[in-house]
């Protein structure tokens, strides 16, 4: 992209600087000149911005003072600290259900069954059409999907939203079937398939969905395998976990992304082991880091990993957000709730990174 102007810095240096600006500052800079205004449309700059943001993990946390108050969002950024995060452009009271490659899937709180996919950076969104299946079928037991997943393919600029759960035909008892609705952004419509699953999920299992190899992955309550939804062929599969993970005594395990690979974070009283699936198709796992939890010993029972890269691990407790710097082996407190929150921070925390994707 040709950016003229300031003679002090070469063009490429200016682009590199702009690609590292906070989101608000970046969009404010668009008013400097017409060429800078065109940055958000330039393919090279968008790709550069997305590559830079991939190295800067963040987490989004929903905070509310009471059950009746409107929840607010904060963004915890390792480089820039804590900032407020607004989804007011949706003109609805929403809950973040899933995050993937800079996009968020949100459900309407007052209007059950209404879903949005949005990019908070560009403030663009899409209101998803209601599925034709909704009037004659419903999820069991309360009409809400057990699993909500968002799969965003940044290379092909498309996304899928997945709603899955136990199935009940209107007027009948649950028959043990598992319904899955998949929204295709290119076709702008839903497709449905039904299978039989007997899996159960904790709240953290539902939140921690990972999109890798065009498939969505969830950890089940049993913690003996990963449930996989292959979006290429709409088939559910089960991916085994290492023996040491399944039968480790007193361990809690969580499913995260690790620079584009599946990862399991294993937490015991004294250690946090980070496993990575090095070979997806051969199911080859290995430990890439072993972290002592001695200096945060009192927090360990209530600590939950939320997001990570090869450099950082973000974790949340009831009232705090921590970041662990893997190279320096230093723990840092990033945020603390100053009032009495109705829910623990880990309950509504999602891994996030800002992008300028335009597939909405």
């Amino acid at each position: 992209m040709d950016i003229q102007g300031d003679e002090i810095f070469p063009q490429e240096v200016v682009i590199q600087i702009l690609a590292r600006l906070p989101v608000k500052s970046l969009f404010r800079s668009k008013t400097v000149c017409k060429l800078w205004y065109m940055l958000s449309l330039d393919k090279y700059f968008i790709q550069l911005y997305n590559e830079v943001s991939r190295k800067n993990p963040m987490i989004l946390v929903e905070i509310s003072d009471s059950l009746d108050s409107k929840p607010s969002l904060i963004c915890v950024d390792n480089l820039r600290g804590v900032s407020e995060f607004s989804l007011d452009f949706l003109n609805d009271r929403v809950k973040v259900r899933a995050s993937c490659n800079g996009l968020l899937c949100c459900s309407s709180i007052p209007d059950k069954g209404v879903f949005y996919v949005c990019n908070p950076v560009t403030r663009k969104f899409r209101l998803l059409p209601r599925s034709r299946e909704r009037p004659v079928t419903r999820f069991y037991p309360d009409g809400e999907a057990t699993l909500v997943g968002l799969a965003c393919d940044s290379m092909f600029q498309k996304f899928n939203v997945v709603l899955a759960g136990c199935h009940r035909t209107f007027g009948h008892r649950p028959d043990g079937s598992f319904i899955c609705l998949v929204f295709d952004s290119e076709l702008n419509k839903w497709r449905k398939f039904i299978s039989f699953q007997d899996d159960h999920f904790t709240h953290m299992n539902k939140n921690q969905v990972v999109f890798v190899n065009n498939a969505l992955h969830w950890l089940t309550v049993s913690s003996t395998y990963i449930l996989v939804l292959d979006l290429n062929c709409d088939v559910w599969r089960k991916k085994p976990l290492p023996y040491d993970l399944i039968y480790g005594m007193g361990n809690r395990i969580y499913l995260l992304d690790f620079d584009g690979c599946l990862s399991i974070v294993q937490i015991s009283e004294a250690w946090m082991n980070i496993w990575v699936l090095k070979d997806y198709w051969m199911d080859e796992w290995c430990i890439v880091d072993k972290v002592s939890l001695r200096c945060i010993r009192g927090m360990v029972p209530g600590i939950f990993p939320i997001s990570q890269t090869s450099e950082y691990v973000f974790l949340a407790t009831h009232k705090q957000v921590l970041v662990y710097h893997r190279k320096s082996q230093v723990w840092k407190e990033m945020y603390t709730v100053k009032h009495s929150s109705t829910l623990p921070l880990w309950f509504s925390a999602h891994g996030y990174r800002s992008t300028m994707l335009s597939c909405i």
Side-chain angles (χ1 to χ4, degrees), residues 197-225:
Q197 306 285 342
D198 58 356
D199 303 293
H200 299 279
F201 308 88
T202 67
H203 180 82
M204 287 300 291
N205 293 156
K206 297 174 188 177
N207 269 7
Q208 295 184 325
V209 51
V210 179
F211 177 57
V212 173
N213 288 328
N214 205 38
L216 290 168
H217 304 75
W218 288 270
L219 194 63
T220 61
V221 160
S222 66
S223 297
T224 56
Y225 58 85

Side-chain angles (χ1 to χ4, degrees), residues 19-227:
R20 287 160 173 78
L21 285 178
V23 174
K24 290 183 179 179
S25 299
L26 175 63
F27 277 79
R28 197 179 298 124
S29 69
K30 292 169 63 175
T31 61
V32 173
C33 62
K34 291 182 179 179
L35 290 174
W36 284 26
Y37 179 83
M38 296 299 292
L39 276 176
S40 61
L41 305 176
D42 183 71
K43 291 183 178 180
Y44 170 75
F45 182 79
I46 291 174
Q47 180 181 358
L48 177 63
Y49 182 88
N50 293 342
E51 288 176 355
V52 171
S53 68
R54 190 175 294 115
K55 300 175 183 178
N56 181 33
M58 313 177 199
I59 64 171
L60 294 182
V61 183
E62 188 176 82
I63 298 177
S64 57
D65 295 327
S66 66
L67 293 174
D68 298 326
S69 66
K70 184 177 180 180
S72 59
L73 282 173
I74 62 167
C75 179
V76 183
D77 182 335
N78 181 61
L79 295 180
R80 307 180 189 98
V82 179
S83 59
E84 293 184 0
F85 206 82
S86 176
L87 298 177
D88 58 1
F89 57 90
L90 295 178
N91 295 315
D92 196 355
R93 187 176 175 220
V94 298
K95 176 179 178 59
V96 177
R97 302 298 301 273
S99 171
C100 183
N101 287 333
L103 299 187
L104 301 179
C105 176
C106 305
S107 62
S108 173
I109 295 175
D111 196 355
K112 186 179 291 186
V114 172
F115 286 85
Y116 304 87
V117 172
C118 66
N119 186 331
V121 174
T122 62
R123 298 176 70 83
K124 294 182 179 180
F125 69 92
R126 186 189 295 195
L127 172 63
L128 304 190
R130 287 181 179 266
S131 167
R132 293 180 180 179
E133 300 295 332
R134 297 296 177 83
V136 295
T137 63
R138 61 171 295 182
F139 292 109
Y140 178 81
D142 58 1
E144 289 288 329
T146 301
L147 303 177
V148 178
L150 175 61
C152 174
D153 190 322
S154 56
M155 179 177 296
F156 294 99
Q157 294 284 304
K158 63 180 182 178
F159 68 85
N160 295 109
V161 173
V162 171
L163 308 178
C166 294
H167 172 261
R168 183 177 77 176
T169 304
F170 184 76
H172 295 77
R173 292 183 178 181
D175 57 6
S177 58
F178 199 72
I179 187 173
C180 185
L181 302 174
V182 182
F183 177 78
D184 188 314
S185 65
E186 293 183 313
L187 301 177
N188 196 39
K189 66 179 184 180
W190 296 86
R191 62 181 186 266
K192 182 189 80 168
F193 67 96
I194 298 177
S195 58
F196 291 89
Q197 306 285 342
D198 58 356
D199 303 293
H200 299 279
F201 308 88
T202 67
H203 180 82
M204 287 300 291
N205 293 156
K206 297 174 188 177
N207 269 7
Q208 295 184 325
V209 51
V210 179
F211 177 57
V212 173
N213 288 328
N214 205 38
L216 290 168
H217 304 75
W218 288 270
L219 194 63
T220 61
V221 160
S222 66
S223 297
T224 56
Y225 58 85
I226 296 170
L227 187 64

Side-chain angles (χ1 to χ4, degrees), residues 223 244-254 265-273 293 300-301:
S223 297
D244 291 345
L245 274 175
I246 298 174
Y247 298 102
M249 296 300 293
N251 292 327
R252 294 179 287 136
I253 65 174
Y254 304 93
V265 177
Q266 177 187 30
I267 295 181
S268 64
E269 290 184 1
W271 296 95
M272 178 172 68
N273 295 330
L293 301 179
V300 172

